[in-house]
Amino acid sequence: MSKITDAVTALAQPVAEQLGCEIWDVEFVKEAGTRFLRVYIDKEGGVSIQDCEDFSRALDPVLDEADPIPESYVFEVSSAGAERVLKRPGDFARFMGHDVEIKLYQPRDGRKTFVGALKEYADGDVIATVGGADMTFPKSTVAQVRLHVTF
């Protein structure tokens, strides 16, 4: 994480605890010339629009007072989502056995995307059961892992 996202996470954590939710992720990105600070929250039973609004209203004055970002930005609060990205070891542990979508930097067996049940996560390597067979995806080849929901 960057210094900004670390600082925002530290400021947001007490707010999340007070409102009965958890911080899933914090992003500070530049898109089309505009900076965005995005805080993704989660809670048991799911996150509503009202939860996002309440969290935003509670965190906004904390950010204004601490002023961890010296430039202008757009502040957004969102649910982590059903197809959330898994980044930390704890994310993988929490969703062991769930279906995931694994995106690779380079094609493997002619494709860059694999869907399967998450079986193991060790030192950044992802092991998933894809089409009935266990496949290991080394950390250096994995661009992104996210939950996969079939509708």
Side-chain angles (χ1 to χ4, degrees):
M1 282 193 167
S2 74
K3 289 181 181 180
I4 289 174
T5 57
D6 288 345
V8 171
T9 300
L11 292 167
Q13 195 62 46
V15 174
E17 290 172 9
Q18 179 184 1
L19 296 176
C21 57
E22 66 177 296
I23 304 299
W24 183 263
D25 197 11
V26 176
E27 294 179 336
F28 186 61
V29 295
K30 188 173 186 176
E31 296 175 358
T34 302
R35 292 277 186 188
F36 289 88
L37 173 63
R38 294 189 180 112
V39 178
Y40 296 92
I41 60 173
D42 194 23
K43 75 174 191 179
E44 191 69 35
V47 173
S48 68
I49 292 171
Q50 188 64 53
D51 293 324
C52 292
E53 184 178 330
D54 292 346
F55 188 87
S56 177
R57 289 179 192 265
L59 183 57
D60 193 44
V62 173
L63 291 173
D64 285 346
E65 183 177 323
D67 200 22
I69 304 172
E71 57 195 291
S72 65
Y73 60 92
V74 176
F75 174 47
E76 299 176 344
V77 175
S78 177
S79 161
E83 292 188 325
R84 66 192 65 194
V85 175
L86 306 182
K87 294 182 178 181
R88 301 168 299 254
D91 300 345
F92 287 90
R94 180 175 174 181
F95 291 102
M96 202 58 60
H98 287 75
D99 283 346
V100 293
E101 178 181 274
I102 302 159
K103 291 187 179 183
L104 306 178
Y105 291 113
Q106 300 294 323
R108 175 173 166 179
D109 301 327
R111 59 187 191 166
K112 290 175 74 172
T113 303
F114 294 83
V115 175
L118 181 61
K119 185 172 182 178
E120 190 176 332
Y121 179 79
D123 298 323
D125 294 347
V126 178
I127 300 172
T129 305
V130 178
D134 289 349
M135 295 182 72
T136 300
F137 301 92
K139 178 181 180 177
S140 63
T141 68
V142 176
Q144 183 182 73
V145 178
R146 67 173 52 243
L147 290 180
H148 179 79
V149 178
T150 304
F151 296 98

